[in-house]
């Protein structure tokens, strides 16, 4: 595997099971801990034949790994991925993105379980306003996002556009909530196995995370072109800075090593103002 950096290989003797993960689409996924580093993560064994039967060139572990490296090349926080064999099965470990956060961590789909949220847009000093997003689109959530989180989500949307990721549904990204309660952080991206590949029949072209409007379908639906146009219109400086990174020589070299250079150049050029390297 020429695309795999040696330091990202699983050292099986260091890892042990500390729990079984019942969420997600990967069967037999388990929570593991590293005895040497105290890191924790989720081991996702390969689903033999699942992707090959659908014409995919690589295993799910490759797509998780490649997506993490692409995010790193764009300076977008993302779960670190380790590749190899563990407990007699091939797969990957996605290091736990919750490490280092002190607030309550939830998926966006669970925001309604927090009670009314602090509304940054309508609150004034001494006069806090609380409510709940009418929809879990970007525009629907915007009044409840501090600027740092707002910009982090724009970066997430850009990443999904250029990696052709249809799977960013409301159960597929994590938010930190403080005691008010208020949204305080978007955690690093994770579970990116549907990036950089042909889409399967149960997915629709587009993003599952809508810029505006509600969605009842978990995979895809909001056209990537429209998503990008909205970002470019509302956040031109941020969108341009991300595009510049995606057209840099360093990004080209990173995707070339991963073996997905042609795919990524095509996606970047599809949305950008000029050709990438």
């Amino acid at each position: 595997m020429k695309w795999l950096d040696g330091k990202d290989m699983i050292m099986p003797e260091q890892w042990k099971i500390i729990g079984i993960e019942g969420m997600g689409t990967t069967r037999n996924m388990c929570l593991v801990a590293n005895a040497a580093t105290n890191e924790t993560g989720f081991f996702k064994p390969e689903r033999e034949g699942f992707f090959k039967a659908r014409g995919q060139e690589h295993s799910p572990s490759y797509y998780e790994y490649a997506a993490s490296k692409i995010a790193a090349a764009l300076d977008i926080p993302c779960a670190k991925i380790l590749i190899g064999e563990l407990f007699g099965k091939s797969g990957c470990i996605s290091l736990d993105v919750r490490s280092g956060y002190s607030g309550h961590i939830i998926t966006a789909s669970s925001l309604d379980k927090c009670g009314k949220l602090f509304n940054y847009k309508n609150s004034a000093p001494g006069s806090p306003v609380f409510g709940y997003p009418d929809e879990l689109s970007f525009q629907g959530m915007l009044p409840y996002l501090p600027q740092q989180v707002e910009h982090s989500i724009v970066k997430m949307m850009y990443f999904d556009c250029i990696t052709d990721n249809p799977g960013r549904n409301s159960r597929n990204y994590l938010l930190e909530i403080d005691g008010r309660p208020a949204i305080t952080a978007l955690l690093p991206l994770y579970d990116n196995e549907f990036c950089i590949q042909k889409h399967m029949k149960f997915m629709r072209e587009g993003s599952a995370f809508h810029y505006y409007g509600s969605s009842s379908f978990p995979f895809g639906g909001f056209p990537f072109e429209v998503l990008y146009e909205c970002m470019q219109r509302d956040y031109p400086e941020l969108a341009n800075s991300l595009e510049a990174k995606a057209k840099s020589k360093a990004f080209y070299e990173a995707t070339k090593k991963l073996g997905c250079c042609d795919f990524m150049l095509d996606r970047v050029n599809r949305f950008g103002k000029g050709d990438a390297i």
Side-chain angles (χ1 to χ4, degrees):
M1 294 185 291
K2 295 181 180 180
W3 46 266
L4 178 60
D5 193 315
K7 71 179 186 300
D8 296 326
M9 293 183 66
I10 295 173
M11 301 298 177
E13 69 279 1
Q14 296 181 353
W15 294 90
K16 62 180 180 180
I17 295 178
I18 59 173
I20 302 298
E21 176 60 37
M23 299 294 289
T25 57
T26 302
R27 293 182 180 179
N28 302 316
M29 187 164 63
C30 56
L31 182 63
V32 294
N34 188 304
T37 64
N38 292 322
E39 293 175 307
T40 59
F42 297 91
F43 176 62
K44 304 173 75 172
E46 298 290 10
R47 290 170 283 176
E48 296 182 7
F50 181 79
F51 272 50
K52 285 187 178 181
R54 290 158 175 80
Q56 304 302 340
E57 182 179 357
H58 297 286
S59 69
S61 295
Y62 165 81
Y63 296 114
E64 288 272 19
Y65 183 80
S68 74
K69 293 298 185 181
I70 289 168
L74 294 170
D75 296 320
I76 296 175
C78 186
K80 182 178 179 180
I81 304 296
L82 305 177
I83 301 286
E85 190 170 293
L86 189 60
F87 315 130
K89 297 180 180 179
S90 296
C92 68
I93 294 174
S94 178
L95 295 187
D96 194 346
V97 298
R98 298 173 295 183
S99 178
Y101 290 87
S102 58
H104 185 51
I105 306 300
I106 61 170
T107 63
S109 62
S110 298
L111 278 175
D112 59 343
K113 297 177 176 62
C114 296
K116 290 185 176 181
L117 295 168
F118 180 74
N119 187 313
Y120 287 91
K121 181 178 180 180
N122 295 327
S123 292
S127 301
V129 174
F130 293 86
Y132 183 76
D134 293 329
E135 58 191 30
L136 293 179
S137 66
F138 180 62
Q139 289 292 320
M141 295 173 63
L142 196 54
Y144 302 92
L145 303 177
Q147 187 178 67
Q148 180 183 353
V149 179
E150 180 182 342
H151 287 185
S152 293
I153 292 180
V154 172
K155 292 178 182 180
M156 178 182 79
M157 290 187 289
Y158 181 82
F159 171 82
D160 289 342
C161 281
I162 67 167
T163 59
D164 200 11
N165 178 26
R168 191 72 63 194
N169 61 74
S170 59
R171 300 185 301 277
N172 214 10
Y173 59 99
L174 292 171
L175 298 165
E176 181 185 45
I177 309 295
D178 69 10
R180 285 176 281 186
I183 297 172
T184 52
L186 173 73
L187 272 63
L189 307 183
Y190 67 99
D191 201 5
N192 299 302
E193 70 179 23
F194 293 116
C195 293
I196 329 167
Q197 60 187 277
K198 302 173 186 176
H199 292 157
M200 302 176 191
K201 290 182 179 179
F202 63 85
M203 295 182 181
R204 294 192 293 180
E205 171 67 19
S207 176
F209 184 77
H210 289 202
Y211 201 86
Y212 51 80
S214 59
S215 173
S216 59
F217 197 81
F219 292 103
F222 196 92
F224 286 118
E225 285 83 2
V226 179
L227 187 63
Y228 188 83
E229 287 172 4
C230 291
M231 292 166 48
Q232 185 66 55
R233 179 196 66 206
D234 297 337
Y235 301 90
E237 186 175 342
L238 181 53
N240 289 340
S241 69
L242 290 165
E243 184 179 323
K245 290 177 183 177
K247 292 183 176 180
S248 68
K249 184 176 180 180
F251 187 82
Y252 170 80
E253 293 297 335
T255 57
K256 183 178 179 181
K257 181 177 180 180
L258 292 166
C260 59
C261 182
D262 290 343
F263 181 98
M264 291 307 304
L265 286 176
D266 180 68
R267 294 293 296 181
V268 171
N269 289 334
R270 177 176 174 178
F271 299 106
K273 297 177 181 177
D275 290 344
I277 293 175

